[in-house]
Amino acid sequence: MRMRRVTGVLVLAALGACDDGSASASRTAAAVDTVGGVERWSYPETAASSLGWSVDTVGVLGDAFADDEYQFAEVSWERLAGDADGNLFVLDRQGSRVLKYGPDGRHLATYGRKGEGPGELSQPLGLAVGPGDTLWVTDFSNSRLTGYPQPGGDPRTVPYGDNSGVPSPSLTVLDGGFLQSFRPLFNIGGPPGSGRRAAVSGGEGGSSRLPLLRLGPTAEVLDTVWTIPEPPTDMVRLEIGSGVIVMMMARQFAPAFRWQGFSDGGVVVSDTAAYLIRLIGPDGAVRRTIERAPAPRPVTEEDREAARQRLRDAEEAGGTRVRIGGSGPDEETRRRMLEQRLEKMTFASLIPRVVSLRVDPRGRIWVGVAESVPDSVGRIDIYDRDGTLVGELRGVPMPDVFVGSDRLGVLRKDEMEVQQVVLMRLREDAAAGDGA
């Protein structure tokens, strides 16, 4: 196989600002070849140019003693959104509502409430801002998408046409449609092209797959952008006194299906333990793959014990307690259940290298990379829309949301375990370092 070398160019362009002429040449080169008709860019392990970007905290939202409009719970990065005007939207899943905050952190509006009627929400999963600043919420129990127009007006409801799959929290809104992945409820098979049922559960031998679908304006399936085998889970039996309960346990360290949409309908996907991301065009074709050394390392016994300890800690904090008949088990039963769950945990063989993936308002790709600690971002690699490695970023947290032209938000909990969103201003005015 013939190889050629290309040298990337480091581009320092502030969010929402013009190029200030501070661009410098990157010393990171990608080896370029073609695999299966798709161009592959392979970057070495050698450190890329160090980006001298920094963040300043400008505000913190979330307080147990504040007014109700500043309290939220069960928020994940998929339940945060920002618009070009600097407004932040928080999907309070526990409260079945969306809270809107202005650039100064002031509460501006609340959308939705618990229920099944127009504009009401039941088990909301995800949140996204679409064209025209309409705020869209994935409403699982009501099997629909609900749109709240920011300029005002009645909410819009878009029912899902097929109830055979569970929509993912992650949602991208396009001009005239949506991008969303689905998890199968059960294996039903089906011939190619027979709609979401086939896309969700079809495949060789009827094996379940997770699809990323392009939906039309009424949530009809237009095409399947990408699919992966359903991540492995284990059905385990837990003995509870004289009875037995069955639960599903995720395979520890199994690679997650991570994807982010671009404004033009393209997608970036990561779904393997290796550092491999795919750039998929609006037409659904894979345009380029990006790889970076080294290969993922094997899972060690130390890694397995750390995963067991996380389960112990989560159980102690009350975050994973199994409920029986609407009430929690007594302490002795809880202890025995925890022992069984620890004993029945299973593990993948490799530690995934990509643990987080985001696309900022300029279309740049932020890749959170695990280094010494599994499932934890050790550094952030920044790529442009085409896959050129801009540089590496350290000392800046992986964003959970981008807000306006120069802000990002990061989820955290305070000392009372109350969820908060920390708003930070991203400064890109420092020149990049020379790299290694």
Side-chain angles (χ1 to χ4, degrees), residues 255-379:
F257 184 15
R258 306 182 192 280
W259 66 272
Q260 289 276 273
F262 296 99
S263 59
D264 64 359
V267 180
V268 56
V269 169
S270 169
D271 58 10
T272 67
Y275 192 137
L276 169 64
I277 57 178
R278 295 178 174 90
L279 300 180
I280 302 173
D283 60 355
V286 179
R287 301 292 180 83
R288 180 169 296 142
T289 62
I290 309 298
E291 299 181 3
R292 192 167 187 198
R297 68 171 177 81
V299 173
T300 66
E301 180 54 35
E302 182 180 0
D303 298 324
R304 290 188 280 268
E305 181 53 35
R308 297 185 189 103
Q309 187 59 48
R310 285 194 294 271
L311 178 59
R312 296 185 189 100
D313 294 342
E315 177 68 18
E316 182 66 26
T320 67
R321 296 181 181 178
V322 178
R323 304 190 69 81
I324 304 173
S327 62
D330 58 38
E331 289 299 315
E332 177 60 21
T333 302
R334 280 182 54 209
R335 184 190 63 78
R336 287 188 282 109
M337 289 175 61
L338 176 59
E339 289 177 351
Q340 294 180 70
R341 293 167 68 193
L342 291 169
E343 179 184 350
K344 297 176 186 295
M345 287 179 73
T346 59
F347 305 87
S349 59
L350 299 173
I351 298 293
R353 297 203 57 224
V354 175
V355 295
S356 189
L357 189 67
R358 304 282 187 272
V359 170
D360 69 21
R362 295 183 65 89
R364 296 177 300 193
I365 305 164
W366 295 53
V367 181
V369 184
E371 293 186 311
S372 59
V373 182
D375 298 326
S376 178
V377 175
R379 75 165 192 270

Side-chain angles (χ1 to χ4, degrees), residues 84-351:
D85 295 327
N87 298 310
L88 171 69
F89 303 90
V90 178
L91 174 55
D92 175 17
R93 188 166 187 262
Q94 190 175 84
S96 295
R97 60 182 182 171
V98 179
L99 302 166
K100 177 180 180 180
Y101 303 97
D104 60 356
R106 182 168 55 92
H107 175 258
L108 299 179
T110 297
Y111 305 91
R113 62 182 181 184
K114 183 71 173 179
E116 301 177 357
E120 295 179 332
L121 302 171
S122 181
Q123 287 189 283
L125 297 180
L127 175 70
V129 176
D133 288 338
T134 296
L135 189 66
W136 289 94
V137 177
T138 300
D139 190 353
F140 170 54
S141 288
N142 288 327
S143 190
R144 66 193 182 194
L145 290 162
T146 297
Y148 301 99
Q150 294 303 296
D154 295 332
R156 178 187 171 194
T157 297
V158 179
Y160 288 118
D162 189 326
N163 294 323
S164 63
V166 178
S168 70
S170 187
L171 173 71
T172 295
V173 186
L174 309 172
D175 284 317
F178 309 88
L179 289 171
Q180 194 160 38
S181 58
F182 288 80
R183 176 171 57 84
L185 284 174
F186 46 83
N187 189 357
I188 51 179
S194 61
R196 186 180 300 144
R197 287 181 179 269
V200 171
S201 298
E204 296 184 6
S207 61
S208 296
R209 297 184 67 86
L210 296 182
L212 172 58
L213 302 179
R214 194 183 315 275
L215 308 177
T218 58
E220 72 278 16
V221 177
L222 300 181
D223 57 36
T224 300
V225 178
W226 192 254
T227 68
I228 65 166
E230 187 177 9
T233 55
D234 302 299
M235 182 179 295
V236 299
R237 295 164 55 90
L238 303 180
E239 298 180 2
I240 308 299
S242 59
V244 173
I245 66 171
V246 178
M247 65 181 298
M248 303 301 295
M249 291 181 60
R251 187 78 50 85
Q252 300 296 306
F253 306 120
F257 184 15
R258 306 182 192 280
W259 66 272
Q260 289 276 273
F262 296 99
S263 59
D264 64 359
V267 180
V268 56
V269 169
S270 169
D271 58 10
T272 67
Y275 192 137
L276 169 64
I277 57 178
R278 295 178 174 90
L279 300 180
I280 302 173
D283 60 355
V286 179
R287 301 292 180 83
R288 180 169 296 142
T289 62
I290 309 298
E291 299 181 3
R292 192 167 187 198
R297 68 171 177 81
V299 173
T300 66
E301 180 54 35
E302 182 180 0
D303 298 324
R304 290 188 280 268
E305 181 53 35
R308 297 185 189 103
Q309 187 59 48
R310 285 194 294 271
L311 178 59
R312 296 185 189 100
D313 294 342
E315 177 68 18
E316 182 66 26
T320 67
R321 296 181 181 178
V322 178
R323 304 190 69 81
I324 304 173
S327 62
D330 58 38
E331 289 299 315
E332 177 60 21
T333 302
R334 280 182 54 209
R335 184 190 63 78
R336 287 188 282 109
M337 289 175 61
L338 176 59
E339 289 177 351
Q340 294 180 70
R341 293 167 68 193
L342 291 169
E343 179 184 350
K344 297 176 186 295
M345 287 179 73
T346 59
F347 305 87
S349 59
L350 299 173
I351 298 293

